[in-house]
Amino acid sequence: MTQETHLHTTDRLDDDDYPAYTMGRAAEMIGATPGFLRAIGEARLITPLRSDGGHRRYSRYQLRIAARARELVDSGTPIEAACRIVILEDQLEEALRLNEELRNDPTE
């Protein structure tokens, strides 16, 4: 492995959006089943990337989203409702972040 290849690979390890985890590993990490990951994919909460061989790959960001959905489902929320709640929570978090950026913008 060249120094350049090693640096490129190391950069991916810090990337929250890099699809590093297989379906089995992702399910294990969040304490769910592969079927749960397929279900939230079908509900369009997350869309895993596909490897060259067609296997699903998940990022750390997607795993955080999936883990939140699993918490809601485990507490009795239907999966479709859990997915909608997680989407709204994510949108709210992004809006609050943008609002904070605008407040702290020195050009205004």
Side-chain angles (χ1 to χ4, degrees):
M1 180 181 294
T2 67
Q3 178 70 17
E4 184 176 309
T5 303
H6 177 70
L7 289 175
H8 184 66
T9 302
T10 304
D11 289 343
R12 290 182 189 170
L13 296 175
D14 293 332
D15 184 354
D16 260 4
D17 295 318
Y18 182 70
Y21 303 99
T22 63
M23 177 181 274
R25 180 69 179 126
E28 179 184 310
M29 289 173 70
I30 66 166
T33 64
F36 176 80
L37 290 174
R38 280 191 291 276
I40 63 174
E42 289 170 11
R44 298 181 191 243
L45 177 61
I46 58 174
T47 303
L49 293 174
R50 298 284 182 147
S51 68
D52 291 339
H55 300 282
R56 291 174 179 90
R57 296 286 187 261
Y58 298 87
S59 69
R60 287 189 306 215
Y61 172 75
Q62 289 174 323
L63 292 183
R64 283 194 300 275
I65 296 291
R68 176 65 181 133
R70 196 209 81 231
E71 289 173 3
L72 291 166
V73 169
D74 287 351
S75 69
T77 305
I79 196 163
E80 291 289 333
C83 290
R84 185 68 183 138
I85 290 167
V86 172
I87 289 167
L88 291 170
E89 287 175 344
D90 197 49
Q91 290 173 343
L92 176 60
E93 184 179 318
E94 178 66 8
L96 292 172
R97 186 190 64 75
L98 289 172
N99 193 16
E100 187 63 29
E101 276 182 23
L102 290 173
R103 275 195 211 139
N104 293 327
D105 186 357
T107 62
E108 294 199 19

